[in-house]
Structures are given as C-alpha cells and as structure tokens.
Amino acid sequence: MPIGQDDPSQSTTPGHTAYSSDEMRRYWRLHSKIWSDLDREKDPEGLTNVCFNGSPLWLNRFAASCQRKTVTRLLDSAPPVRGLRALDVGCGTGRWTRLLSARGALTTGIDLQSESLRENHRRLPACRFVEMSADKL
C-alpha cells in the first residue's frame, strides 16, 4: 500500500508530520495522568484539562462559556436530538456528552484519558463512556 493512502498515520504532505496510533495513545495517557489530580472543588468541570491546559481557571471558564454558547446555538438550530444516539469523540471531561444527554440524546463519549472517563462515569451515570481512540471507530 502506498504511504498515506490507506493509513492515516502516514503523511506525504510536505510540512505535516506523520503520527502513529501508539504514540497518540501514549501522549493522551500521560496527559490524563498529569491532569487527573485536578481540584474538582475549584474546577468541577475539569476545564483545566480540556480548554487551555495549565492556564488560569478564569481563562478556561471564559473559553468554556464561549464554546458552550456556540455549541448551544448550533444545537438550537438543528433538529431535536431526543431519542437519537450521539457520539462525543474525544469527550474529555464530558461537557458535550452531558449537554447532549440533557437534550435527550443517548450519548456515548470516547476518549483515551482513563482518569477523566472514570470521573465521567461517576458524575454522569446515564451516559456511556468508552476508553478508545477515534482512529479505531
């Protein structure tokens, strides 16, 4: 098979670095361990993990509020999701999984951050969370 045609981890485009699925998994597992000890009293949504890593919480809250407004407007302009299945790829701390579930969607979140997924299971028992990579869909 020629490089780049059937394997998304290979790049033939100048200036683009190829990646490997294993390298990506190692990165996200390390990232998960680094941010797993977030103070959930101060940062209950884990925004420090999913917005601007390590930035002040006020900045992450601002970014999250802008993102929420945008996603809410998008969902408001789309047909209702009640009863539909929704997949949140790279769900992180489950912000969009929670939003879709609140609108009645049957949600599944996938991510490689096992610590975040455990917290998501605890906080959002009505949602399904699976540790897997998007390249395995």
Side-chain angles (χ1 to χ4, degrees):
M1 135 178 72
I3 291 179
Q5 287 189 0
D6 293 322
D7 185 354
S9 69
Q10 301 299 314
S11 176
T12 57
T13 307
H16 289 89
T17 304
Y19 72 92
S20 75
S21 295
D22 289 337
E23 182 179 19
M24 182 175 58
R25 280 186 201 80
R26 281 192 305 274
Y27 169 81
W28 284 111
R29 287 192 178 122
L30 175 61
H31 179 88
S32 182
K33 286 181 183 12
I34 291 169
W35 295 106
S36 65
D37 64 348
L38 287 174
D39 183 344
R40 292 293 181 151
E41 293 293 318
K42 291 181 183 175
D43 186 5
E45 290 190 276
L47 299 176
T48 303
N49 181 20
V50 296
C51 289
F52 299 106
N53 305 116
S55 293
L57 188 53
W58 65 264
L59 178 61
N60 286 315
R61 285 184 175 145
F62 175 74
S65 72
C66 293
Q67 292 169 351
R68 179 177 280 280
K69 286 177 189 175
T70 301
V71 171
T72 299
R73 285 183 186 151
L74 174 68
L75 289 172
D76 287 345
S77 69
V81 297
R82 181 163 300 285
L84 298 177
R85 293 186 305 165
L87 178 63
D88 184 358
V89 177
C91 65
T93 59
R95 293 182 301 149
W96 311 129
T97 310
R98 183 179 335 107
L99 182 65
L100 289 162
S101 180
R103 288 175 174 248
L106 308 170
T107 58
T108 298
I110 67 168
D111 203 292
L112 290 173
Q113 297 184 74
S114 57
E115 285 82 0
S116 290
L117 293 175
R118 277 194 291 279
E119 180 67 14
N120 292 347
H121 280 293
R122 188 186 69 73
R123 294 178 70 210
L124 305 166
C127 301
R128 180 173 176 241
F129 294 96
V130 179
E131 184 174 347
M132 72 175 288
S133 176
D135 66 350
K136 298 300 180 197
L137 289 174

